[in-house]
Amino acid sequence: MSRIGKNPIALPQGVEVKVDGNVVTVKGKLGELTQELKSEITAEIEDGVLRVKRASDSKDHRAAHGLYRALISNMIEGVTKGYTKELELVGVGYRASNQGQKLDLALGFSHNIVLNLAPEVKVETVSDKGKNPIIKLSSFDKQLVGQVAAKIRSFRAPEPYKGKGIKFVGEILRRKAGKSA
């Protein structure tokens, strides 16, 4: 648990990190993120390296130490590189299209599902002939892009017999055999 928290976080060029009490603000070329730390966890910047420290060696403090170090590291990576998630629509007649931040999904229900996405999440849909439609989500906030992807997947999760539904690109589904005569 605590070994992750002990690792220092190198601050790349173009990233501005500000520690104000127990609030860490990270600003980069893609955006700005803030994270509030627990009172027993502190962050310090010295020599272009950010270190996360804990008050004591109790189990809760060790767990929170590693957690907040990972969250800050993800924030720094997010504002420099960003995060992307790709979803694939598997099924006859399943379609996806977007206009700006509005995602329109045809998933075999009587009506299309229209989802308004947060402005921080960029959405792109790819529909090539003969291939399954793909939804590409990208953002500087790892938690937000994962939450939006999970929400979209929840509209039609893949079923185990034919594999129809919305799945992540590269996701391996556990398939079941059908009825045997």
Side-chain angles (χ1 to χ4, degrees):
M1 277 190 258
S2 64
R3 283 181 266 167
I4 291 171
K6 290 178 184 176
N7 292 337
I9 304 169
L11 301 177
Q13 276 194 323
V15 174
E16 184 183 315
V17 178
K18 193 168 82 174
V19 179
D20 186 26
N22 64 341
V23 177
V24 178
T25 306
V26 179
K27 195 173 189 178
K29 63 180 181 179
L30 296 179
E32 182 177 349
L33 293 167
T34 59
Q35 177 67 47
E36 190 173 339
L37 306 177
K38 277 187 169 180
S39 59
E40 57 266 2
I41 304 296
T42 58
E44 298 172 357
I45 301 170
E46 50 192 44
D47 303 329
V49 171
L50 186 127
R51 293 185 188 279
V52 180
K53 298 184 178 177
R54 63 178 181 250
S56 72
D57 214 25
S58 73
K59 189 173 183 177
D60 290 344
H61 292 183
R62 287 194 321 251
H65 187 211
L67 169 75
Y68 285 114
R69 190 261 178 213
L71 289 175
I72 294 169
S73 176
N74 288 340
M75 288 166 46
I76 291 170
E77 187 177 335
V79 298
T80 54
K81 299 176 192 169
Y83 291 100
T84 59
K85 293 263 187 189
E86 293 185 351
L87 296 146
E88 182 179 5
L89 280 69
V90 180
V92 177
Y94 289 7
R95 291 184 307 279
S97 63
N98 72 305
Q99 287 165 354
Q101 291 301 97
K102 260 189 183 164
L103 182 64
D104 188 14
L105 300 168
L107 300 174
F109 299 120
S110 61
H111 291 74
N112 287 0
I113 297 170
V114 179
L115 188 66
N116 291 319
L117 300 176
E120 294 89 12
V121 179
K122 305 289 178 251
V123 64
E124 179 188 348
T125 55
V126 179
S127 297
D128 294 333
K129 189 171 174 108
K131 293 184 181 172
N132 293 328
I134 292 178
I135 303 168
K136 294 181 182 178
L137 302 169
S138 59
S139 177
F140 56 87
D141 190 346
K142 186 175 187 176
Q143 186 268 334
L144 182 64
V145 77
Q147 186 177 3
V148 170
K151 176 72 174 171
I152 293 170
R153 186 181 187 273
S154 73
F155 291 133
R156 185 71 96 167
E159 53 96 17
Y161 297 100
K162 290 185 178 179
K164 289 172 54 171
I166 302 174
K167 68 180 191 106
F168 292 106
V169 172
E171 179 182 7
I172 298 169
L173 300 174
R174 186 165 172 240
R175 301 290 294 269
K176 292 182 179 179
K179 287 191 220 174
S180 55

